[in-house]
């Protein structure tokens, strides 16, 4: 921690670290003078002369940090709920004809497990939680561009989550048609009951929540960067969030429209997706015949960008963690940026690879684009390895989780390439092979990389450290549990076990694989308990973190932990993608992106 | 604004090309329309940003030699402490529940929405908490 | 300005000492050579070799993809393992702050594109064979999926219907092209026979066609793979492949039986009950891994 002290001393000498009086208050962010209201903000000490307190403060807060934390905590609750559902599923499958759950309950459980994980955890945690908290800090902004819209996004997300969960308490139970709600199974005839309607409404609410967050992110990143923070000096996490935000704007409106149409089919007598006693012409809907294929097209046009909306923020997290714990800059920064754009662009064009087995889609078009996504993903992989290469690697919990992500995503990505080939997909579609594939990629990103982000940014958010030793136990338990859970699923999928089944024949030899998988899932659950223990212990016996415990590179590490109201009281010069590193390590400057060199004397220009 | 504009225009062009290829290869309506929409999603804001880039030149955050001191002063107005997002959220919640459980809930939800919309407009005009 | 200290920005990666890259390349070469040498007897990698000509095509494609996956995967895995073992923090010294190396970046952009194009070419060749439908199939069967069973309709009017665990058996001729027309009465279902390495959705309102050329006599289990409601887990069926002679006999006798006893249409065909018949089970073919 020697270097941290050096930087601290420099800060003390060049500029005062704390602002106490009006006169010393930096001009950097002078809030507008409102008649009748004091200009109470901008103090580093956070002297709140006005403003609500207690629960009302939480209900009315528009501070991106508060909203981000609310998102993260709510989404982690959803994560644990969905995890319990997963354990129930695995228990059911550990014997071929288990009577633990009825078929109906089982269908509800896997539907809600998938829906909670994908709609209510992974996305909101990433773009509602982490991005909300971190992006304004990383670009030197005081807040998000539209703070009240930000708050609205959170309330829509929370109410959406509650709406979906209410399904468990209505007659007929929660939605049970899979997280993809294929028509006509999701029609009123096949799935009557309020559970399905609540599910649709929940997605409408959380969909709008996401869209508003997308707008907010684009606005913030385009308009609120600090001076000198050009687009190509933004951290890769912020770049990934920008691309994610645009993907959100591309994908979620399609989902919301599809949900509206589905609701109309269920309740207003339309036949947009249901073909009853009629025949489609070339698979297209006509005035007299709805098309289940149309549902799939609409859903997957959202669904595939959705999984990249889920993945890209987490790619961004590991791209923050690797440089810090290798003590080197990101390798191939521009390559990373262009690869991310390419992934986003391509991912919007591959939706029908989820429909290869319909026999109704253009196989070569979609398989080519799907195979092609491997290229920018590969570029990112090699850039991550290049970042580690010749570095001085330190295996903190965040770094371990990021490396675990690499292993998980490597294999998940390779199996994805296999699935991109229609003939192979015909053989394994809707089997446990696919289940194993997407769990590897989603778990690798949302869970491994997500926890890397938690361990990495927790000090910045709370001013205290998470216990590293518990973090390492957490990682290793989860890592072992992960492989034990999902590798048998590949095998049993190749043997022919379909997905979404509550029971299976006992004479095919599938049980042993399922049992192993269930054991693994409980290992994973144990590791999540360790995380909770870590939270409690670190809160009860705090170890203060300081501004920059990791000697990290990006702008958010320049301010205090936690950051003050409106984030910054002073800023370093921004000449590269590592302003904090450059400030702390003037002997190992980053080559600036753009022509301007590092200023020689200027250290902390307080306006 | 140049890079921002180029990024979005790139999306417009990319999806335009992909959309054209897809349409003439498959004649599938759903995907064709969605790709067209995505292309427009790139072109519309992209051209807007390009227009503004041409008109206003480099902002401080586009200049790679800008110093922090140059950015001193009022950045923007960041409304703080507003109850209206919560009220609007609750109104939306009740309204969608109305669609599921019975339209009578609309009489709770819609007034909340209207109140919130009014409240937020008035707050913006008056300034509200900062 | 003093002489540049260590960690000079923008420097390209140092040329590694001669031993290391050569060792890596050699190891990689050995692995690839080994795999190529065993090319004629590649392992199954967990998949079925399959009992139709279409499945064999898919199987070979699977093997090729698996090998490519292993090669690429192991290569990248080695790189990661090397990095995390070799570059552990040894001192507080700041390492060389390399930010890019354009030749390397170009290589790892171009090589994956080439790999992808090769995989795509093989994919298209295989998928054209698998999805090909012949002009004049020897047998034509209309398959209906419904909640929660299957109905097989033959051109001469024979119908075989079964639900959930009362599995219907689809009798087909071995060695000849069987055309399947797949429809659904209600929701989406998946027609999946693991040992044929093939599945297709039954979409209501949309008929889909595919061919099966079964290679050996045998019994092949099938199941619905697309979530279709409450008893999705129990929507089983069987495919029983018999010699063409046996097939036509069966068609004739079955038709006669169904005409005589119309109410018995839902029962399984009696002479060819897969539970009691021993034809095909001990002979070559029909097992999990083919020949």
């Amino acid at each position: 921690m020697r270097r941290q002290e050096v930087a601290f001393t420099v800060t003390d000498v060049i500029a005062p670290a704390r602002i106490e009086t009006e006169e010393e208050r930096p001009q950097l962010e002078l809030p507008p003078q409102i008649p009748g209201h004091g200009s109470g903000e901008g103090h580093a000490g956070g002297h709140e002369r006005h403003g609500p307190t207690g629960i009302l403060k939480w209900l009315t807060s528009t501070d991106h940090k508060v909203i981000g934390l609310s998102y993260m905590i709510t989404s982690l609750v959803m994560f644990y709920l969905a995890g319990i559902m997963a354990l129930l599923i695995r228990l059911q499958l550990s014997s071929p004809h288990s009577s633990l759950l009825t078929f109906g309950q089982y269908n509800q459980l896997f539907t809600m497990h998938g829906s909670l994980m994908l709609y209510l955890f992974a996305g909101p945690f990433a773009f509602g939680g982490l991005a909300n908290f971190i992006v304004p800090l990383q670009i030197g902004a005081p807040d998000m561009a539209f703070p009240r819209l930000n708050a609205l996004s959170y309330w829509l997300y929370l109410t959406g989550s509650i709406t979906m969960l209410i399904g468990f308490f209505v007659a007929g139970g929660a939605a049970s048609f899979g997280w993809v709600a294929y028509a006509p199974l999701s029609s009123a005839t096949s799935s009557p009951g309020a559970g399905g309607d609540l599910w649709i409404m929940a997605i409408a609410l959380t969909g709008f929540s996401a869209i508003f967050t997308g707008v907010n992110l684009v606005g913030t990143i385009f308009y609120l960067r600090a001076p000198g923070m050009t687009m190509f000096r933004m951290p890769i996490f912020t770049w990934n969030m920008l691309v994610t935000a645009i993907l959100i704007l591309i994908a979620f409106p399609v989902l919301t429209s599809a949900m509206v149409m589905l609701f109309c089919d269920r309740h207003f007598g339309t036949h947009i997706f249901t073909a009853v006693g009629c025949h489609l012409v070339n698979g297209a809907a006509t005035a007299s015949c709805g098309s289940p294929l149309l549902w799939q097209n609409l859903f997957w046009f959202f669904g595939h960008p959705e999984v990249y909306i889920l993945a890209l923020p987490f790619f961004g997290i590991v791209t923050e963690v690797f440089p810090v714990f290798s003590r080197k800059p990101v390798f191939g920064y521009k390559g990373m940026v262009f690869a991310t754009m390419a992934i986003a662009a391509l991912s919007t064009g591959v939706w029908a690879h989820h429909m290869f087995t319909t026999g109704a889609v253009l196989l070569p078009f979609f398989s080519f684009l799907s195979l092609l996504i491997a290229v920018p993903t590969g570029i990112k992989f090699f850039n991550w390895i290049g970042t580690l290469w010749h570095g001085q690697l330190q295996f903190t919990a965040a770094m371990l989780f990021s490396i675990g992500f690499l292993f998980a995503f490597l294999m998940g990505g390779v199996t994805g390439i296999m699935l991109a080939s229609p003939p192979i997909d015909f053989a394994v579609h809707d089997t446990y092979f696919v289940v194993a594939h997407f769990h590897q990629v989603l778990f690798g990103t949302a869970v491994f990389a997500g926890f890397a982000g938690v361990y990495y940014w927790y000090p910045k958010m709370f001013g205290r450290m998470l216990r590293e030793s518990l973090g390492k136990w957490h990682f290793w338990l989860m890592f072992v549990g992960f492989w034990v859970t999902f590798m048998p699923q590949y095998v049993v999928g190749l043997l022919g076990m379909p997905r979404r089944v509550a029971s299976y024949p006992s004479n095919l030899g599938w049980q042993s694989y399922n049992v192993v998988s269930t054991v693994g899932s409980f290992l994973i659950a144990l590791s999540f308990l360790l995380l909770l223990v870590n939270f409690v212990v670190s809160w009860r016996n705090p170890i203060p973190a300081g501004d920059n415990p990791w000697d990290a590179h990006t702008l958010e590490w320049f301010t205090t932990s936690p950051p003050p109201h409106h984030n910054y009281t002073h800023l370093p010069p921004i000449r590269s993608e590592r302003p904090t590193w450059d400030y702390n390590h003037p002997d190992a400057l980053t080559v600036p992106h753009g022509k301007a060199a590092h200023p020689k004397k200027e250290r902390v220009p307080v306006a | 604004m140049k890079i921002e504009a180029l990024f979005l225009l790139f999306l417009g062009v990319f999806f335009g090309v992909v959309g054209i290829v897809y349409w003439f290869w498959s004649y599938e309506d759903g995907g064709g329309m969605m790709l067209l929409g995505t292309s427009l999603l790139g072109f519309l804001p992209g051209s807007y940003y390009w227009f503004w880039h041409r008109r206003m030149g480099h902002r401080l955050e586009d200049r790679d030699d800008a110093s922090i001191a140059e950015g001193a002063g009022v950045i923007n107005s960041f409304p703080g402490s507003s109850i209206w997002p919560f009220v609007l959220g609750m109104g939306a919640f009740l309204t969608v529940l109305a669609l599921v459980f019975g339209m009578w809930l609309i009489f709770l939800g819609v007034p909340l929405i209207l109140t919130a919309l009014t409240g937020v407009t008035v707050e913006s005009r008056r300034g509200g908490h900062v | 300005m003093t002489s540049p200290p260590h960690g000079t920005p923008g420097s390209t990666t140092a040329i590694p000492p001669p031993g290391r890259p050569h060792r890596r390349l050699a190891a990689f070469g050995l692995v690839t050579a080994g795999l190529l040498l065993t090319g004629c007897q590649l392992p199954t990698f967990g998949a079925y070799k399959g009992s139709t000509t279409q499945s064999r095509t898919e199987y070979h494609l699977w093997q090729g993809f698996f090998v490519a996956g292993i090669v690429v995967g192991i290569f990248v895995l080695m790189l990661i393992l090397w990095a995390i073992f070799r570059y552990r923090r040894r001192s507080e010294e700041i390492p060389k702050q390399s930010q890019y190396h354009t030749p390397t970046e170009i290589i790892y952009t171009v090589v994956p594109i080439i790999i992808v194009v090769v995989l795509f070419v093989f994919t298209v060749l295989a998928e054209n064979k698998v999805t090909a439908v012949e002009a004049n199939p020897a047998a034509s069967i209309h398959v209906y999926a419904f909640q929660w069973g299957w109905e097989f309709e033959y051109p001469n009017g024979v119908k075989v219907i079964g639900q959930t665990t009362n599995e219907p058996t689809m009798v087909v001729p071995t060695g000849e092209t069987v055309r399947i027309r797949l429809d659904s009465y209600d929701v989406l279902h998946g027609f999946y026979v693991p040992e044929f390495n093939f599945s297709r959705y039954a979409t209501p309102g949309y008929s889909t066609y595919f061919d099966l050329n079964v290679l050996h006599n045998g019994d092949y289990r099938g199941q619905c793979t697309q979530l279709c409601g409450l008893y999705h887990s129990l929507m089983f069926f069987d495919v029983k492949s018999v010699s063409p002679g046996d097939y036509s006999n069966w068609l004739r006798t079955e038709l006669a039986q169904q005409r005589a006893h119309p109410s018995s249409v839902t029962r399984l065909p009696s002479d060819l009950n897969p539970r009691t018949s021993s034809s095909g089970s001990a002979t070559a073919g029909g097992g999990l891994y083919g020949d």
Side-chain angles (χ1 to χ4, degrees):
Chain A
M1 300 302 265
R2 240 182 323 121
R3 284 176 209 282
Q4 176 62 23
E5 290 153 23
V6 168
F8 209 66
T9 310
V10 169
T11 312
D12 267 337
V13 167
I14 300 292
R18 294 287 175 267
I19 310 301
E20 297 299 350
T21 64
E22 269 305 323
E23 299 83 72
E24 284 174 62
R25 178 151 54 94
Q27 301 296 300
L28 190 58
E29 24 209 87
L30 192 63
Q33 298 301 311
I34 315 291
H37 291 261
S39 51
E41 320 311 338
H43 289 265
H47 302 295
E48 298 273 320
R49 285 192 287 241
H50 300 275
T53 53
I55 185 136
L56 201 58
K57 183 175 174 194
W58 179 61
L59 290 179
T60 60
S61 176
T62 58
D63 183 347
H64 71 104
K65 300 186 284 296
V66 173
I67 295 172
L69 276 178
S70 304
Y71 256 107
M72 283 190 266
I73 293 172
T74 310
S75 61
L76 277 178
V77 170
M78 296 299 136
F79 178 64
Y80 278 87
L81 283 175
I84 292 173
M85 294 180 205
L87 290 178
L88 287 169
I89 292 172
R90 287 292 351 141
L91 279 175
Q92 169 80 5
L93 287 175
S94 52
S95 56
H97 302 288
S98 171
S99 49
L100 177 71
L101 302 163
T102 66
F103 281 178
Q105 288 170 334
Y106 186 83
N107 287 5
Q108 288 176 44
L109 277 179
F110 68 68
T111 301
M112 295 301 275
H113 165 78
S115 302
L116 256 70
M117 284 296 192
L118 293 162
Y119 296 118
L120 303 184
F121 160 62
F125 181 84
F127 54 75
L130 269 180
N132 240 326
F133 199 105
I134 299 292
V135 165
L137 285 166
Q138 283 197 333
I139 58 175
D143 205 313
M144 293 283 262
F146 307 111
R148 284 175 302 185
L149 190 66
N150 208 5
L152 176 65
S153 286
Y154 175 71
W155 297 115
L156 289 176
Y157 162 63
L158 180 66
T159 54
S161 308
I162 294 171
T163 307
M164 200 181 275
L165 290 170
I166 290 178
F168 279 117
F169 301 105
V170 298
S176 58
F177 37 61
W179 83 281
V180 294
Y182 273 7
L185 181 64
S186 49
S187 67
T189 25
S190 303
S191 298
D197 296 319
L198 286 166
W199 184 89
I200 292 174
M201 289 303 149
I203 292 182
L205 287 172
T206 52
F208 275 109
S209 163
I211 293 171
F212 295 151
T213 302
V215 167
N216 231 330
L217 278 170
V218 174
T220 308
I221 294 172
F222 279 8
Y223 287 107
L224 287 182
R225 306 193 303 276
M229 174 69 80
T230 62
M231 289 291 281
F232 282 115
R233 289 179 186 169
M234 295 195 308
I236 295 284
F237 178 73
T238 303
W239 260 113
N240 280 28
M241 289 322 306
L242 172 65
V243 175
T244 303
I246 294 190
L247 272 180
I248 289 173
L249 294 175
I250 292 176
F252 271 89
V254 175
L255 175 73
T256 320
S257 332
M259 290 298 156
V260 170
M261 289 190 252
L262 181 62
F263 193 80
C264 289
D265 261 17
R266 284 172 68 87
H267 290 286
F268 301 139
T270 55
H271 286 287
I272 304 173
F273 303 124
T274 45
V276 181
C278 61
H279 239 78
L280 300 171
V281 177
N282 289 331
T286 62
S288 51
C289 201
S291 171
L293 293 167
L294 179 62
W295 170 263
Q296 292 178 51
N297 272 307
L298 288 174
F299 183 83
W300 286 117
F301 190 86
F302 151 78
H304 198 81
E306 159 75 351
V307 303
Y308 285 94
I309 290 167
L310 301 182
L312 288 179
F314 298 101
F315 289 174
I317 295 176
V318 301
T319 320
E320 297 292 317
V321 171
F322 283 140
V324 168
F325 297 108
S326 316
R327 314 204 80 202
K328 296 172 62 221
V330 175
F331 185 83
Y333 175 95
K334 278 207 173 170
M336 283 298 224
V337 171
F338 292 126
T340 308
M341 288 189 200
I343 289 177
L346 287 170
S347 72
T348 313
V350 301
W351 74 91
H353 69 218
H354 301 270
M355 299 165 60
F356 279 157
T357 52
T358 58
V361 301
L362 210 52
L363 296 178
F365 177 88
F366 290 106
S367 72
F368 180 64
L369 288 179
S370 307
L371 288 169
L372 208 54
I373 294 194
V375 176
T377 314
I379 291 175
K380 288 181 89 84
F381 244 90
F382 290 120
N383 281 339
W384 287 322
I385 296 175
T387 306
L388 300 176
W389 209 257
H390 283 303
Q392 292 273 16
L393 306 188
Q394 185 184 16
F395 297 107
T396 56
M399 183 67 150
L400 284 175
F401 277 108
S402 304
I403 293 175
F405 152 80
L406 277 184
F407 290 125
F409 200 81
L410 176 61
M411 182 164 175
V414 166
T415 53
I417 291 301
M418 295 174 178
L419 290 165
S421 175
I424 298 177
D425 186 61
F426 296 161
V428 295
H429 179 69
D430 272 342
T431 67
Y432 262 83
F433 186 90
V434 175
V435 174
H437 156 74
F438 66 67
H439 277 98
Q440 276 213 294
V441 285
L442 284 172
F443 203 98
T445 51
V447 185
F448 278 108
F451 285 139
V454 168
Y455 280 89
Y456 178 59
W457 273 308
Y458 183 92
K460 176 55 57 183
M461 295 178 193
F462 296 107
R464 57 192 78 191
M465 308 292 289
L466 278 174
R467 292 286 188 280
E468 276 293 303
S469 51
L470 278 175
K472 288 176 184 168
W473 272 100
H474 175 193
F475 167 72
W476 284 109
L477 258 180
M478 193 163 96
F479 191 69
V480 170
F482 168 76
W483 293 101
V484 171
T485 308
F486 295 112
M487 293 313 287
Q489 291 183 7
Y490 278 118
V491 179
V492 86
L494 285 170
L495 288 176
M497 180 171 174
R499 62 186 290 198
R500 298 182 174 138
V501 291
S503 74
Y504 50 91
S506 44
N507 58 341
L508 295 173
W510 294 351
Q511 182 175 11
S512 39
Y513 299 104
N514 276 292
V515 169
V516 172
S517 181
T518 304
V519 168
S521 67
F522 276 88
L523 281 177
I524 296 177
L526 197 58
S527 76
F528 292 153
L529 278 177
L530 275 184
L531 175 68
L532 287 179
V533 170
N534 207 345
F535 279 141
V536 170
V537 167
S538 309
W539 199 261
R540 290 269 188 84
N541 299 318
I543 302 173
D547 294 355
N548 193 356
W550 310 123
D551 191 18
H553 308 178
T554 42
L555 202 51
E556 75 269 24
W557 298 100
F558 192 80
T559 187
T560 59
S561 307
H565 191 61
H566 286 166
N567 299 337
Y568 288 99
T569 55
H570 41 282
L571 285 167
I574 299 169
R575 289 290 174 269
S576 74
E577 79 266 23
R578 301 194 300 168
T580 306
W581 171 274
D582 293 339
Y583 179 81
N584 289 330
H585 299 278
D587 53 336
L589 293 173
T590 322
V591 170
H593 288 283
K595 298 184 189 61
H598 289 276
K600 291 203 170 101
K601 284 288 184 198
E602 197 190 8
R603 283 285 173 259
V604 185
V606 177
Chain B
M1 289 253 74
K2 185 173 172 195
I3 298 175
E4 294 92 320
L6 284 177
F7 175 37
L8 286 167
L9 288 172
F10 154 72
L11 286 180
V13 169
F14 180 83
F15 288 111
V17 169
V18 168
I20 289 173
V21 168
Y22 181 74
W23 172 252
F24 285 106
W25 196 346
S26 75
Y27 291 110
E28 195 268 307
D29 296 329
M33 283 307 297
M34 292 188 285
L35 287 171
L36 171 68
T38 310
S39 175
L40 286 175
L41 185 89
F43 278 127
L44 242 56
S47 8
Y48 176 80
Y49 293 134
W50 184 257
F51 165 76
W52 276 105
H53 156 68
R54 297 298 293 270
R55 191 157 153 179
M56 74 179 165
H58 284 295
R59 305 163 298 169
L60 279 179
E61 56 262 47
D62 298 323
R63 282 177 38 212
D64 48 29
D65 59 343
S67 75
I68 303 294
E70 291 179 66
V74 177
I75 298 177
N76 203 344
S77 148
F78 295 99
S81 286
S82 171
I83 189 69
W84 301 121
F86 176 73
V87 175
L88 187 52
M90 292 305 124
F93 179 45
L94 290 170
T95 308
V96 304
L97 287 185
L99 287 166
V100 178
F101 289 123
M103 292 310 273
W104 59 272
L105 278 165
I106 281 253
F107 294 106
L108 289 177
V110 170
L112 282 177
I113 294 179
L114 293 174
T115 311
L117 289 175
T118 316
V120 99
T121 315
V122 168
E123 190 179 62
S124 297
R125 293 195 60 160
R126 278 209 203 131
H129 283 288
V130 176
Chain C
M1 192 86 151
T2 54
S3 59
H6 61 80
T8 316
S11 57
T12 58
T13 49
I15 299 171
R20 235 172 280 141
H22 292 181
R23 253 186 273 137
R24 278 201 295 280
L25 273 172
F28 178 49
L30 273 173
V31 170
T32 319
L35 286 165
L36 287 172
L37 285 170
T38 58
C40 301
Q41 284 108 23
L42 278 176
T44 65
F45 300 126
Y48 293 110
K49 201 165 177 178
S51 306
T52 61
T53 54
Q54 292 87 357
S55 74
R56 295 292 165 98
T57 310
E58 185 276 336
Y59 174 67
H60 293 303
L61 187 71
W62 160 260
Q63 288 180 310
F65 264 76
F66 202 98
V67 167
I70 287 207
V71 168
V72 169
I74 291 197
F75 175 65
V76 177
L77 183 69
M78 289 294 124
L79 285 176
I80 301 174
L81 288 174
W82 177 263
I84 63 184
F85 284 110
R86 168 67 182 80
Y87 299 116
R88 315 171 76 115
R89 184 164 296 188
R90 305 260 161 95
S91 66
E92 287 304 304
E93 188 184 313
I94 295 181
K96 193 157 286 188
Q97 305 284 286
S98 32
Q99 289 171 241
Y100 56 89
H101 188 248
T102 314
T104 315
E105 294 184 57
I106 291 183
I107 290 177
Y108 62 60
T109 309
V110 170
V111 169
I113 292 182
I114 295 175
I115 296 176
V116 158
V117 170
V118 168
L119 290 176
F120 177 65
V121 168
F122 283 114
T123 293
V124 172
L125 293 173
E127 88 194 6
N128 287 340
K129 277 201 214 145
V130 169
T131 56
V133 281
E134 258 187 50
N136 295 305
S140 233
I141 307 175
H142 197 161
V143 176
Y144 292 95
F146 57 93
Q147 283 174 320
W148 286 279
W150 303 90
E151 177 184 328
F152 307 122
E153 240 181 52
Y154 290 83
N156 68 347
V158 168
K159 285 190 205 213
V160 180
I161 307 175
Q163 295 189 76
T164 60
T165 45
N166 189 20
E167 303 161 28
T169 301
M170 183 166 78
V171 182
V172 296
T174 308
E176 295 186 336
T177 306
V178 178
R179 163 74 41 79
I180 305 288
R181 174 182 169 175
L182 184 59
D183 271 301
S184 166
Y185 279 134
D186 38 49
V187 297
L188 283 170
H189 296 276
F191 178 95
Y192 174 51
V193 182
E195 287 172 71
F196 291 174
N197 287 339
F198 186 82
S199 68
R200 183 69 64 94
Y201 279 176
T203 309
Y206 180 77
S207 302
T208 181
Y209 302 85
F210 55 91
D211 281 355
L212 297 170
N213 289 63
V214 187
L215 292 167
H216 324 281
N217 294 345
D219 298 314
Y220 308 102
R221 63 174 296 273
Q223 190 173 355
C224 173
T225 46
Q226 179 53 34
L227 177 69
C228 53
L230 208 52
Y231 295 104
H232 163 65
S233 325
L234 297 179
M235 224 172 114
F236 300 112
F237 65 95
D238 276 311
V239 180
K240 187 170 184 72
S241 190
V242 295
S243 68
D246 282 345
Y247 173 73
S248 355
N249 288 341
W250 175 80
L251 270 181
R252 251 182 307 108
T253 51
E254 193 62 24
L255 183 63
Q257 214 150 25
Q258 291 189 0
R259 282 203 179 128
H261 306 280
S263 60
S264 68
V265 170
T266 53
R267 65 154 174 71
L268 294 168
S270 55
D271 358 329
L272 294 171
N273 188 323
R275 304 271 174 280
T276 57
S277 165
S278 62
S279 66
S281 53
T283 54
L288 278 181
Y289 289 96
D291 301 323

